[in-house]
Amino acid sequence: MQSKAAVLWGPHTPWSVEETELDAPRFGEVRVKLAASGLCHSDDHFVKGDIPCGYPIIGGHEGAGVVEEVGPGVKRIKEGDAVVLAFMPACGHCRWCASGKSMLCDYGAIIMDGLPISDQQPRVHARGEGLRQVSMLGTFAPYVVVNEDSCVKVDDDTPLEYAALVGCGVTTGYGAAVKQAKVEPGDTVVVVGTGGVGSSAVQGARIAGAEVIVAVDPFEYRREQAKVVGATHAVASMAEATPLVTELTRGVMADKTILTASLMTGDMLMPLMLLTRKGGRACLTSTANPNITNADVVLADVIFSQKEIVGNVYGGCNPHADIPRILSLYRRGLLKLDELVSKTYALEQVNEGYDDLLNGRIMRGLISYS
Ligand SMILES: [Zn+2]
Ligand SMILES: [Zn+2]
């Protein structure tokens, strides 16, 4: 069918909205009509060339919509189902899926290729070329053909525009606090970077019972919005956070720290660890260039203060189990999603949306297809 998509033809070029030809779903695949796509910061790293990927590629890996067509061999999903697209598919059978760690599914090894699981042949075409799809999704398009392993079935009456955000940023941030940092009642938590992921980490910390939540962000708008969703304090930098947290904890420092700066560099680790108390835990939730092999840290501080450093994929969440639970928190009013969406855009405004994001004018932007 004819469709359109925002395509990146190479690094250091803008998103280009193109007329596309979308193939019918093949074995194990479905076509989804999307309600919306989130503008996740990670896609901009493909523009900047910070994170390697193949080109040309359709951007976007936060989406939700309704299944319109089902290919042969599809078992769990039927036409008309409401689905959230998971940026990490879950095969259900590998060692990690089978042991309740589907965020580490072996499919993770191929998602950066952006080509279909079954045959690695592009399903979308423009200008006579096959297009890759970010995370095998490519949600900067009103219609996507994706594997059913990327689809999390949700209640039919789910507000799908906001549910799109749960496909990546919200789940990654919420889980950073709840699953990876393991925030406990009474904790003091520092969240560094309060865009879509960080403001979800703030909410995870609030829901888990944190007493003090310090948001750190260079942009005033995001500091104010972080307070709207649960931060008790907000400062512009880790350097500013250090005396504040020292005072708030009488020198003990934070029980849990969560780094959600979009792209982590090696110089960020030392100030983060110095904000973390003895026996505390730091959760690294950023993306990072795979070629970075050095980070500054006071080794004796980490060793003799028994500090923990943990990574984070998808907030340590199992998409099929946790996405419906996170949406349930939203519907009970405990998790705020509407407040995260600062602005809604048409697909043709995708570059404007990223300009707003990079200049701190929004927490999360949403491309609406309705
Ligand atoms: Zn993302
Ligand atoms: Zn798996």
Side-chain angles (χ1 to χ4, degrees), residues 40-43 61-62 87 168-169 172 197 364:
C40 183
H41 201 143
S42 301
D43 291 283
H61 59 276
E62 276 188 349
F87 82 84
C168 173
T172 300
V197 175
R364 201 49 139 209

Side-chain angles (χ1 to χ4, degrees), residues 233-248:
H233 302 73
V235 292
S237 66
M238 284 196 271
E240 265 186 55
T242 302
L244 174 66
V245 174
T246 302
E247 185 192 329
L248 289 169

Side-chain angles (χ1 to χ4, degrees), residues 186-190 211-214 232-233 241-257 274-278:
D187 273 355
T188 292
V189 180
V190 177
E211 179 186 337
V212 173
I213 303 170
V214 179
T232 56
H233 302 73
T242 302
L244 174 66
V245 174
T246 302
E247 185 192 329
L248 289 169
T249 62
R250 301 183 181 215
V252 172
M253 306 310 281
D255 300 287
K256 312 287 159 54
T257 55
L274 294 176
L275 279 165
T276 310
R277 70 156 165 81
K278 285 191 287 188

